[in-house]
Amino acid sequence: MGAAGGDGTETASADAKPGPTVTVTETAAAAKPAKGESKPAPTVTVTKTVKPKAEKRKAEKPKQDAEPAEEAPAGQVVFKVWGSAPAGVDINYGSDNDSRSGKGLPFEKTLQLSDDALYYNVYAQLMGGGDINCSVTVNGETKKAHSSGDYNICTAQMNGGLLGGWD
């Protein structure tokens, strides 16, 4: 806002980023003259500049919880972990008879589907703060999970059905 006696304009700082703006000027209703005065009191004009909503949305960070696209090819199992883990994440994945480990985000590994496996799972533990998602995909069926906060664990598991198939 302008200072008293000023022209009512504001100046931008040297490090302000240029962009489209909308300026709205509103004038207060005329004041009635005070007792004993023949002229009305001066009016007040307020000018504010706002950023359009579309520009606010562009400035936001893209969501980290969107799963990377890709389905498991027939006869294979896909393990995924994605999100944000500034202090790192410890990842274990595999089946009841084959356990493996991995690191880094985004993480994606593919294994051959084994007829002997009872289940496939992914287990990802945050090594401090963060926000991660994980998934296991077998024959087009996917199980997903989410974890957020210090040292929390994201785990997703697909189980072999009694009559075949995966759930």
Side-chain angles (χ1 to χ4, degrees):
M1 300 278 163
D7 64 0
T9 62
E10 292 181 29
T11 57
S13 65
D15 61 335
K17 294 181 182 169
T21 58
V22 176
T23 303
V24 179
T25 303
E26 298 176 11
T27 304
K32 295 181 182 179
K35 287 186 179 182
E37 291 185 16
S38 61
K39 294 182 182 178
T43 59
V44 176
T45 301
V46 177
T47 302
K48 67 180 180 178
T49 302
V50 295
K51 197 176 211 182
K53 288 183 181 180
E55 286 300 313
K56 286 182 184 176
R57 276 188 237 119
K58 285 182 186 176
E60 292 176 2
K61 292 174 93 175
K63 290 190 175 187
Q64 295 282 334
D65 62 350
E67 179 181 359
E70 184 180 323
E71 291 190 19
Q76 296 186 337
V77 182
V78 177
F79 305 88
K80 297 180 185 179
V81 181
W82 67 97
S84 171
V89 62
D90 186 26
I91 301 169
N92 291 298
Y93 66 100
S95 68
D96 59 309
N97 58 21
D98 182 13
S99 181
R100 300 173 184 220
S101 64
K103 292 196 179 288
L105 294 179
F107 172 86
E108 182 174 331
K109 293 293 181 183
T110 303
L111 294 178
Q112 283 297 121
L113 183 64
S114 170
D115 292 336
D116 295 339
L118 299 175
Y119 64 85
Y120 286 94
N121 72 344
V122 61
Y123 175 98
Q125 182 171 13
L126 291 162
M127 297 287 100
D131 190 306
I132 57 173
N133 293 279
C134 59
S135 69
V136 178
T137 303
V138 180
N139 291 338
E141 295 292 324
T142 301
K143 292 290 183 175
K144 297 180 186 177
H146 171 258
S147 181
S148 179
D150 292 348
Y151 299 95
N152 284 329
I153 299 167
C154 182
T155 184
Q157 179 171 311
M158 291 290 291
N159 298 308
L162 293 176
L163 303 175
W166 293 90
D167 56 10

PDB file of all heavy atoms in Angstrom, residues 51-64:
ATOM      1  N   LYS A  51      -2.138 -12.717  -8.060  1.00  0.00           N
ATOM      2  CA  LYS A  51      -1.676 -13.628  -9.092  1.00  0.00           C
ATOM      3  C   LYS A  51      -2.873 -14.446  -9.567  1.00  0.00           C
ATOM      4  O   LYS A  51      -3.624 -14.966  -8.747  1.00  0.00           O
ATOM      5  CB  LYS A  51      -0.626 -14.555  -8.486  1.00  0.00           C
ATOM      6  CG  LYS A  51       0.222 -15.274  -9.467  1.00  0.00           C
ATOM      7  CD  LYS A  51       1.264 -16.069  -8.724  1.00  0.00           C
ATOM      8  CE  LYS A  51       2.529 -16.178  -9.526  1.00  0.00           C
ATOM      9  NZ  LYS A  51       3.519 -16.968  -8.836  1.00  0.00           N
ATOM     10  N   PRO A  52      -3.100 -14.583 -10.871  1.00  0.00           N
ATOM     11  CA  PRO A  52      -4.224 -15.387 -11.354  1.00  0.00           C
ATOM     12  C   PRO A  52      -4.101 -16.827 -10.873  1.00  0.00           C
ATOM     13  O   PRO A  52      -3.004 -17.345 -10.695  1.00  0.00           O
ATOM     14  CB  PRO A  52      -4.105 -15.321 -12.881  1.00  0.00           C
ATOM     15  CG  PRO A  52      -3.237 -14.136 -13.155  1.00  0.00           C
ATOM     16  CD  PRO A  52      -2.351 -13.974 -11.960  1.00  0.00           C
ATOM     17  N   LYS A  53      -5.230 -17.506 -10.664  1.00  0.00           N
ATOM     18  CA  LYS A  53      -5.239 -18.871 -10.161  1.00  0.00           C
ATOM     19  C   LYS A  53      -4.458 -19.825 -11.054  1.00  0.00           C
ATOM     20  O   LYS A  53      -3.784 -20.714 -10.580  1.00  0.00           O
ATOM     21  CB  LYS A  53      -6.669 -19.373  -9.995  1.00  0.00           C
ATOM     22  CG  LYS A  53      -7.373 -18.734  -8.838  1.00  0.00           C
ATOM     23  CD  LYS A  53      -8.752 -19.303  -8.660  1.00  0.00           C
ATOM     24  CE  LYS A  53      -9.440 -18.622  -7.495  1.00  0.00           C
ATOM     25  NZ  LYS A  53     -10.776 -19.117  -7.270  1.00  0.00           N
ATOM     26  N   ALA A  54      -4.523 -19.659 -12.346  1.00  0.00           N
ATOM     27  CA  ALA A  54      -3.793 -20.543 -13.261  1.00  0.00           C
ATOM     28  C   ALA A  54      -2.295 -20.457 -13.005  1.00  0.00           C
ATOM     29  O   ALA A  54      -1.584 -21.447 -13.056  1.00  0.00           O
ATOM     30  CB  ALA A  54      -4.101 -20.186 -14.713  1.00  0.00           C
ATOM     31  N   GLU A  55      -1.776 -19.275 -12.710  1.00  0.00           N
ATOM     32  CA  GLU A  55      -0.354 -19.115 -12.432  1.00  0.00           C
ATOM     33  C   GLU A  55       0.019 -19.788 -11.119  1.00  0.00           C
ATOM     34  O   GLU A  55       1.090 -20.340 -10.984  1.00  0.00           O
ATOM     35  CB  GLU A  55       0.021 -17.634 -12.395  1.00  0.00           C
ATOM     36  CG  GLU A  55       0.058 -16.986 -13.763  1.00  0.00           C
ATOM     37  CD  GLU A  55       1.068 -17.650 -14.686  1.00  0.00           C
ATOM     38  OE1 GLU A  55       2.210 -17.892 -14.273  1.00  0.00           O
ATOM     39  OE2 GLU A  55       0.703 -17.951 -15.832  1.00  0.00           O
ATOM     40  N   LYS A  56      -0.863 -19.752 -10.128  1.00  0.00           N
ATOM     41  CA  LYS A  56      -0.578 -20.408  -8.852  1.00  0.00           C
ATOM     42  C   LYS A  56      -0.433 -21.900  -9.058  1.00  0.00           C
ATOM     43  O   LYS A  56       0.435 -22.531  -8.490  1.00  0.00           O
ATOM     44  CB  LYS A  56      -1.692 -20.118  -7.846  1.00  0.00           C
ATOM     45  CG  LYS A  56      -1.664 -18.710  -7.307  1.00  0.00           C
ATOM     46  CD  LYS A  56      -2.761 -18.514  -6.288  1.00  0.00           C
ATOM     47  CE  LYS A  56      -2.819 -17.082  -5.799  1.00  0.00           C
ATOM     48  NZ  LYS A  56      -3.920 -16.839  -4.882  1.00  0.00           N
ATOM     49  N   ARG A  57      -1.299 -22.497  -9.882  1.00  0.00           N
ATOM     50  CA  ARG A  57      -1.235 -23.932 -10.123  1.00  0.00           C
ATOM     51  C   ARG A  57       0.059 -24.319 -10.822  1.00  0.00           C
ATOM     52  O   ARG A  57       0.641 -25.346 -10.534  1.00  0.00           O
ATOM     53  CB  ARG A  57      -2.429 -24.372 -10.970  1.00  0.00           C
ATOM     54  CG  ARG A  57      -3.644 -24.626 -10.120  1.00  0.00           C
ATOM     55  CD  ARG A  57      -4.755 -25.246 -10.949  1.00  0.00           C
ATOM     56  NE  ARG A  57      -5.898 -24.369 -10.825  1.00  0.00           N
ATOM     57  CZ  ARG A  57      -6.499 -23.740 -11.799  1.00  0.00           C
ATOM     58  NH1 ARG A  57      -6.094 -23.907 -13.045  1.00  0.00           N
ATOM     59  NH2 ARG A  57      -7.507 -22.941 -11.587  1.00  0.00           N
ATOM     60  N   LYS A  58       0.537 -23.502 -11.765  1.00  0.00           N
ATOM     61  CA  LYS A  58       1.773 -23.810 -12.475  1.00  0.00           C
ATOM     62  C   LYS A  58       2.965 -23.796 -11.532  1.00  0.00           C
ATOM     63  O   LYS A  58       3.913 -24.534 -11.716  1.00  0.00           O
ATOM     64  CB  LYS A  58       2.009 -22.790 -13.588  1.00  0.00           C
ATOM     65  CG  LYS A  58       1.136 -22.993 -14.786  1.00  0.00           C
ATOM     66  CD  LYS A  58       1.474 -21.965 -15.848  1.00  0.00           C
ATOM     67  CE  LYS A  58       0.519 -22.030 -17.009  1.00  0.00           C
ATOM     68  NZ  LYS A  58       0.789 -20.983 -17.990  1.00  0.00           N
ATOM     69  N   ALA A  59       2.930 -22.945 -10.517  1.00  0.00           N
ATOM     70  CA  ALA A  59       4.058 -22.815  -9.607  1.00  0.00           C
ATOM     71  C   ALA A  59       4.146 -23.983  -8.633  1.00  0.00           C
ATOM     72  O   ALA A  59       5.181 -24.234  -8.055  1.00  0.00           O
ATOM     73  CB  ALA A  59       3.950 -21.502  -8.824  1.00  0.00           C
ATOM     74  N   GLU A  60       3.048 -24.736  -8.432  1.00  0.00           N
ATOM     75  CA  GLU A  60       3.064 -25.852  -7.500  1.00  0.00           C
ATOM     76  C   GLU A  60       3.920 -26.978  -8.055  1.00  0.00           C
ATOM     77  O   GLU A  60       4.010 -27.180  -9.257  1.00  0.00           O
ATOM     78  CB  GLU A  60       1.636 -26.360  -7.268  1.00  0.00           C
ATOM     79  CG  GLU A  60       0.770 -25.382  -6.519  1.00  0.00           C
ATOM     80  CD  GLU A  60      -0.665 -25.876  -6.404  1.00  0.00           C
ATOM     81  OE1 GLU A  60      -0.956 -26.997  -6.870  1.00  0.00           O
ATOM     82  OE2 GLU A  60      -1.473 -25.127  -5.866  1.00  0.00           O
ATOM     83  N   LYS A  61       4.517 -27.764  -7.149  1.00  0.00           N
ATOM     84  CA  LYS A  61       5.329 -28.892  -7.562  1.00  0.00           C
ATOM     85  C   LYS A  61       4.432 -30.007  -8.097  1.00  0.00           C
ATOM     86  O   LYS A  61       3.321 -30.189  -7.624  1.00  0.00           O
ATOM     87  CB  LYS A  61       6.106 -29.435  -6.360  1.00  0.00           C
ATOM     88  CG  LYS A  61       7.170 -28.504  -5.848  1.00  0.00           C
ATOM     89  CD  LYS A  61       7.759 -29.044  -4.601  1.00  0.00           C
ATOM     90  CE  LYS A  61       8.976 -29.859  -4.903  1.00  0.00           C
ATOM     91  NZ  LYS A  61       9.667 -30.336  -3.723  1.00  0.00           N
ATOM     92  N   PRO A  62       4.899 -30.769  -9.062  1.00  0.00           N
ATOM     93  CA  PRO A  62       4.100 -31.892  -9.536  1.00  0.00           C
ATOM     94  C   PRO A  62       3.972 -32.935  -8.434  1.00  0.00           C
ATOM     95  O   PRO A  62       4.872 -33.096  -7.612  1.00  0.00           O
ATOM     96  CB  PRO A  62       4.901 -32.427 -10.717  1.00  0.00           C
ATOM     97  CG  PRO A  62       6.277 -31.909 -10.541  1.00  0.00           C
ATOM     98  CD  PRO A  62       6.160 -30.633  -9.752  1.00  0.00           C
ATOM     99  N   LYS A  63       2.881 -33.651  -8.430  1.00  0.00           N
ATOM    100  CA  LYS A  63       2.657 -34.653  -7.394  1.00  0.00           C
ATOM    101  C   LYS A  63       3.648 -35.793  -7.540  1.00  0.00           C
ATOM    102  O   LYS A  63       3.922 -36.262  -8.630  1.00  0.00           O
ATOM    103  CB  LYS A  63       1.237 -35.196  -7.472  1.00  0.00           C
ATOM    104  CG  LYS A  63       0.217 -34.174  -7.056  1.00  0.00           C
ATOM    105  CD  LYS A  63      -1.119 -34.815  -6.910  1.00  0.00           C
ATOM    106  CE  LYS A  63      -2.099 -33.791  -6.375  1.00  0.00           C
ATOM    107  NZ  LYS A  63      -3.363 -34.388  -6.065  1.00  0.00           N
ATOM    108  N   GLN A  64       4.153 -36.247  -6.402  1.00  0.00           N
ATOM    109  CA  GLN A  64       5.124 -37.326  -6.387  1.00  0.00           C
ATOM    110  C   GLN A  64       4.469 -38.690  -6.234  1.00  0.00           C
ATOM    111  O   GLN A  64       5.129 -39.702  -6.283  1.00  0.00           O
ATOM    112  CB  GLN A  64       6.102 -37.126  -5.218  1.00  0.00           C
ATOM    113  CG  GLN A  64       6.951 -35.912  -5.355  1.00  0.00           C
ATOM    114  CD  GLN A  64       8.085 -36.123  -6.333  1.00  0.00           C
ATOM    115  OE1 GLN A  64       8.517 -37.237  -6.543  1.00  0.00           O
ATOM    116  NE2 GLN A  64       8.536 -35.071  -6.946  1.00  0.00           N
TER     117      GLN A  64
END
